[in-house]
């Protein structure tokens, strides 16, 4: 097994290789505006660090969000393209699940919250690092304050809104290493991991103008 994992659902552009036993190479850069520019060079760098070619990969793991429309699509389309080119399966893992898996919280329940912009967070609750209880959803922090009161929290969304998440912890962003380890664990246990489907949770910011002027002849 050689899993290539990647995620662009948060400001982190993150890539890792997992050989079925552990992560053998990884790289993460945080830049919310350069997902498309950074992802492929990061893949090349991780493969070079491991001394392997892309043709050695036997499966692709990609974070499915939730996340902003444009950034999330970069990772999903890249994963699908690699899968088609290599003829290998592509597995989708919720980005929040990757953050929960990496969280250093011994006992649940706890919350994972990432920055959804527009003064909102993408969030979910977990019984432990592997078991999601609710979500994912997108809401204003103040609107969910009662639901998450008293719970530890991880993620950039939790760190941004300490009034709602006073017990905020690292990690801030997801890592492909955590996604790869979680996917490898699920596969080893015989669990079925679905094909990637984006968790947008809301419509994209870009919209077709409603009253644009028609310039083509009738």
């Amino acid at each position: 097994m050689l899993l290539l994992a990647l995620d662009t659902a948060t400001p982190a552009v993150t890539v890792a290789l997992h050989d079925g036993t552990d992560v053998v190479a990884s790289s993460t850069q945080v830049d919310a505006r350069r997902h498309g520019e950074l992802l492929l060079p990061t893949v090349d760098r991780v493969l070079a660090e491991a001394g392997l070619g892309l043709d050695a990969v036997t499966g692709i793991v990609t974070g499915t969000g939730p996340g902003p429309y444009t950034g999330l699509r970069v990772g999903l389309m890249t994963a699908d393209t690699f899968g088609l080119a290599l003829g290998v399966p592509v597995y989708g893992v919720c980005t929040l699940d990757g953050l929960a898996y990496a969280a250093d919280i011994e006992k649940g329940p706890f919350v994972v919250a990432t920055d959804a912009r527009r003064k909102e967070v993408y969030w979910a609750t977990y019984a432990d690092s592997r078991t999601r209880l609710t979500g994912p959803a997108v809401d204003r922090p103040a609107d969910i304050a009662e639901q998450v009161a008293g719970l530890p929290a991880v993620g950039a969304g939790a760190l941004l809104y300490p009034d709602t998440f006073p017990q905020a912890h690292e990690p801030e962003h997801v890592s492909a290493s955590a996604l790869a380890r979680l996917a490898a664990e699920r596969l080893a246990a015989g669990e079925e991991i679905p094909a990637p489907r984006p968790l947008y949770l809301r419509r994209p910011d870009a919209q077709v103008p409603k009253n644009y002027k028609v310039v083509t002849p009738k």
Side-chain angles (χ1 to χ4, degrees):
M1 177 190 291
L2 186 67
L3 297 176
L4 173 66
L6 54 94
D7 193 289
T8 58
T10 74
V13 178
T14 179
V15 178
L17 278 174
H18 193 290
D19 66 0
T21 301
D22 206 350
V23 172
V24 296
S26 64
S27 179
T28 298
Q29 298 179 77
V30 178
D31 193 327
R33 299 182 180 275
R34 299 174 64 206
H35 291 99
E37 180 181 344
L38 295 175
L39 182 55
L40 290 180
T42 304
V43 171
D44 288 341
R45 183 164 55 253
V46 168
L47 288 169
E49 180 183 336
L52 297 166
L54 186 60
D55 58 355
V57 171
T58 61
I60 311 293
V61 178
T62 182
T64 58
Y69 186 85
T70 302
L72 181 53
R73 282 181 62 83
V74 170
L76 289 167
M77 294 305 296
T78 300
D80 278 344
T81 300
F82 281 157
L84 287 171
L86 298 172
V88 300
V90 182
Y91 306 108
V93 178
C94 175
T95 297
L96 301 184
D97 290 356
L99 268 163
Y101 188 79
D104 187 19
I105 298 177
E106 295 182 1
K107 188 177 181 181
F110 65 92
V111 186
V112 174
T114 59
D115 182 16
R117 305 174 186 173
R118 304 182 190 175
K119 298 182 180 180
E120 294 178 331
V121 293
Y122 297 118
W123 67 287
T125 60
Y126 291 81
D128 53 51
S129 61
R130 296 167 177 80
T131 309
R132 190 179 343 137
L133 293 173
T134 65
V138 58
D139 289 288
R140 288 182 176 271
D143 294 340
I144 61 171
E146 291 187 7
Q147 298 177 61
V148 302
L151 297 181
V154 300
L159 295 167
L160 273 173
Y161 301 101
D163 289 345
T164 299
F165 306 102
Q167 300 181 60
H169 302 267
E170 298 286 343
E172 182 175 1
H173 303 301
V174 71
S175 74
S177 294
L179 286 175
R181 290 189 175 103
L182 178 56
E185 183 178 294
R186 288 176 174 175
L187 290 171
E191 296 181 33
E192 182 177 349
I193 303 179
R197 294 292 181 268
L199 295 168
Y200 293 128
L201 301 192
R202 65 187 182 201
R203 298 182 64 82
D205 292 331
Q207 300 289 334
V208 176
K210 293 182 179 179
N211 297 311
Y212 60 91
K213 183 178 180 180
V214 177
V215 296
T216 54
K218 293 183 178 179

